[in-house]
Amino acid sequence: MTSSTESGQPVVTCQFLGASGTVTGSKYLLNIDGRNVLVDAGMFQGEKRWRLKNWDNFIPPARKITDILVTHAHADHVAYIPALVKQGFRGRIWATRGTIELAEIVLRDAGHLQLQDAKFAKRGGYSKHEEPLPLFTPDDVEVALSYFVPVDFDEDVDLDGFTARWVRAGHILGSASIHLDIAGMTVLFSGDLGRDEPPLLIPRSAPPHADWVIMESTYGDREHETPEPAHETMAKAIRETAERGGKVLMPAFAIDRTEAVLHQIVMMIREGRIPSLPVFVDSPMGLKALDVYRDFADSELREDIDVDDFTGIPQLTEARTQDASKRINHFKHSCIIVTSSGMLEGGRALHHLERLLPDEKNCVIITGYQAQGTRGRKLIDGAKNLKMHGWYVPVRAQVVQDREFSAHAGQRELVRWVAQTQPEGGQPHAVFLTHGEPLAAEALYDQIDEQLGWNVAIPQYGEKVALSPSPDERLADD
Ligand SMILES: [Zn+2]
């Protein structure tokens, strides 16, 4: 059915199987002359209507996918891989070395959560199934990990019939945009794009030229604030909490945010903006990620950053065991506790919240995006109490939000990035906007349309488009 055209050009289609209409579940299925290649295989998270799609029958059958190309190790880009293995995927998974190290942490955690959720559903009796099944098991995770093949940045990787190149994206350690050359036709997947100047990572490279661009739009409707001095909300909250003898709780996403928060603490202590308090890192996943950031300091971090810049805290405790975590409870003095989960939906953060929230001396500093319905969002919205472990904990502690931590490019940075895909002028055949809430994608659509006058489209979930060597006439017409 699908075969080369008379000109010898392969017939290529791209189907949007995730991150379309939402920010999670990134999955792009390329069909190249009948061969199926997946770019990212993320899990849907958040709203139930999206989460249920994790159970959709995958088209085509997983065993007919030959390769998965991975942009970075966030769960919404990799955590569906073990589900594909369970369904019969036996191909190769290509990713940078840093991504492979982090994916190991993320996938093992996901396997553990799947088992937990299935057990919970069984106990709660709310599953439709007699025996609620996990989407995949820790065994599927181990098989998936054995399929990974490392690639280097900026090297062409020959994938029998096309080449792929991973280009730095500066979003989290190992993150990349993926550039494909299919018989001279080029396709660029942005992956998640970092800020122009990430605090720790080597900044993203200029993207290579591409005929077709598939790009994220998470912050397509927003610019980042950059107040002077940086992170003063955080510094002020720490100073004031220390003055009244309280403790500071900083929930942070395990990967990259933990390191960025520690880096800010180091800077603030060095500059004398906050007192040199004891700092506890209490997050098993956060600590594993911290090890990867240490190990990859030479190849992934900015030249002016060394490990001391995010771990050089005079009184730093890495709570690697449950006992070490419990000992934090008995600590009597002012301190900073960096923990996860970042949206306060689970993990050790809950135990600390339970103890710290009822006392007005303490402070919670929110450091990341908080999705609707999460405890983190409720705290920001001024909740008077928070349900945890079956009871309501009164919120008397101070709650502040530091909005300056973000690992995603803002609107201006996104437009500049896509403009760089055409260094010689001209325009791509089309730009497809994905990985954004509808309003964010539409705002970025308008900006690219107004500033560059290019063909832009916002694909729907499941939509399939033909990628041809010459511009799509339908798109070129208007
Ligand atoms: Zn990401």
Side-chain angles (χ1 to χ4, degrees):
M1 199 174 69
T2 40
S3 61
S4 299
T5 55
E6 278 169 27
S7 63
Q9 275 294 333
V11 174
V12 182
T13 62
C14 176
Q15 192 176 10
F16 299 87
L17 294 173
S20 311
T22 179
V23 290
T24 69
S26 281
K27 265 183 234 85
Y28 309 110
L29 178 69
L30 284 169
N31 187 294
I32 304 168
D33 270 350
R35 172 177 167 194
N36 295 302
V37 173
L38 206 53
V39 177
D40 282 345
M43 186 97 97
F44 286 106
Q45 299 163 317
E47 277 180 277
K48 194 172 178 189
R49 69 188 171 110
W50 288 111
R51 271 186 290 125
L52 286 174
K53 295 199 188 303
N54 287 325
W55 296 91
D56 280 2
N57 277 334
F58 202 78
I59 312 163
R63 69 190 150 75
K64 296 206 165 160
I65 298 168
T66 62
D67 301 84
I68 302 174
L69 318 184
V70 174
T71 61
H72 68 289
H74 272 148
D76 63 320
H77 295 256
V78 296
Y80 194 74
I81 293 175
L84 291 171
V85 168
K86 190 184 165 99
Q87 295 164 38
F89 171 76
R90 296 291 178 266
R92 293 162 301 179
I93 307 167
W94 306 86
T96 64
R97 289 164 209 281
T99 293
I100 294 176
E101 290 295 314
L102 290 175
E104 196 176 311
I105 300 168
V106 170
L107 294 184
R108 287 192 175 135
D109 181 66
H112 176 70
L113 286 177
Q114 281 298 319
L115 282 189
Q116 247 184 3
D117 286 356
K119 263 190 223 155
F120 188 65
K122 189 180 175 188
R123 231 184 304 141
Y126 58 71
S127 168
K128 282 182 288 186
H129 307 280
E130 284 285 287
E131 199 60 35
L133 292 174
L135 201 51
F136 52 85
T137 65
D139 288 344
D140 299 317
V141 168
E142 295 310 311
V143 176
L145 291 174
S146 73
Y147 292 161
F148 274 88
V149 184
V151 300
D152 291 316
F153 282 110
D154 305 318
E155 301 270 329
D156 282 330
V157 180
D158 184 358
L159 294 176
D160 314 325
F162 68 99
T163 62
R165 199 186 328 156
W166 278 252
V167 182
R168 272 186 207 282
H171 165 62
I172 62 170
L173 188 143
S175 66
S177 301
I178 299 178
H179 184 261
L180 304 181
D181 186 326
I182 308 167
M185 179 182 77
T186 50
V187 186
L188 179 63
F189 292 85
S190 72
D192 288 2
L193 296 167
R195 307 286 313 271
D196 283 352
E197 289 177 28
L200 302 171
L201 300 171
I202 297 175
R204 57 182 142 73
S205 326
H209 169 271
D211 298 323
W212 301 92
V213 180
I214 292 92
M215 80 178 286
E216 68 125 321
S217 57
T218 317
Y219 281 150
D221 58 346
R222 268 169 284 176
E223 288 303 345
H224 295 296
E225 304 165 27
T226 45
E228 277 287 326
H231 295 276
E232 185 53 22
T233 313
M234 167 180 163
K236 183 164 176 273
I238 294 173
R239 283 195 303 267
E240 291 175 354
T241 309
E243 272 163 28
R244 52 178 190 257
K247 296 176 178 169
V248 178
L249 187 68
M250 298 192 71
F253 302 129
I255 297 173
D256 199 73
R257 192 60 43 88
T258 298
E259 289 72 26
V261 165
L262 290 174
H263 173 239
Q264 268 311 317
I265 293 173
V266 170
M267 305 291 284
M268 286 174 183
I269 291 176
R270 283 183 189 165
E271 291 164 7
R273 291 173 66 196
I274 60 170
S276 180
L277 299 176
V279 175
F280 296 91
V281 183
D282 190 19
S283 152
M285 207 169 148
L287 286 168
K288 285 180 195 150
L290 190 57
D291 290 339
V292 178
Y293 271 69
R294 280 188 174 111
D295 292 348
F296 282 77
D298 288 345
S299 55
E300 290 275 350
L301 304 187
R302 300 161 63 115
E303 237 173 57
D304 56 336
I305 290 286
D306 68 61
V307 172
D308 226 32
D309 294 328
F310 55 97
T311 58
I313 295 168
Q315 304 175 70
L316 178 69
T317 305
E318 299 177 18
R320 291 191 182 257
T321 61
Q322 278 205 335
D323 277 351
S325 175
K326 281 183 189 151
R327 278 201 292 277
I328 303 173
N329 299 347
H330 304 301
F331 192 77
K332 294 276 184 282
H333 311 284
S334 279
C335 61
I336 301 170
I337 304 165
V338 181
T339 184
S340 55
S341 76
M343 297 192 201
L344 303 173
E345 285 299 276
R348 293 191 181 163
L350 296 191
H351 300 285
H352 294 299
L353 271 184
E354 239 173 329
R355 279 184 314 100
L356 300 181
L357 278 182
D359 189 340
E360 61 199 13
K361 284 208 303 280
N362 301 323
C363 178
V364 180
I365 305 177
I366 301 287
T367 63
Y369 172 77
Q370 305 295 309
Q372 286 292 352
T374 59
R375 288 192 189 87
R377 174 59 77 94
K378 286 175 189 155
L379 268 189
I380 300 171
D381 290 346
K384 294 274 177 278
N385 50 55
L386 219 51
K387 196 175 181 191
M388 260 171 289
H389 301 129
W391 66 296
Y392 285 94
V393 179
V395 180
R396 298 196 194 96
Q398 182 189 8
V399 176
V400 300
Q401 187 179 17
D402 181 333
R403 298 170 182 276
E404 293 167 61
F405 290 105
S406 173
H408 279 278
Q411 188 185 69
R412 254 196 309 267
E413 293 169 323
L414 288 169
V415 174
R416 211 161 37 225
W417 179 87
V418 78
Q420 287 177 325
T421 63
Q422 311 299 317
E424 324 236 302
Q427 58 169 289
H429 302 338
V431 177
F432 297 104
L433 300 181
T434 61
H435 202 287
E437 298 295 346
L439 285 177
E442 282 158 26
L444 186 60
Y445 177 108
D446 290 342
Q447 288 301 316
I448 296 175
D449 182 45
E450 280 166 27
Q451 294 184 39
L452 304 172
W454 293 357
N455 295 317
V456 196
I458 304 175
Q460 302 290 306
Y461 174 67
E463 192 174 330
K464 191 194 277 188
V465 295
L467 306 182
S468 55
S470 54
D472 182 322
E473 281 166 22
R474 178 179 57 85
L475 284 166
D477 268 352
D478 64 26

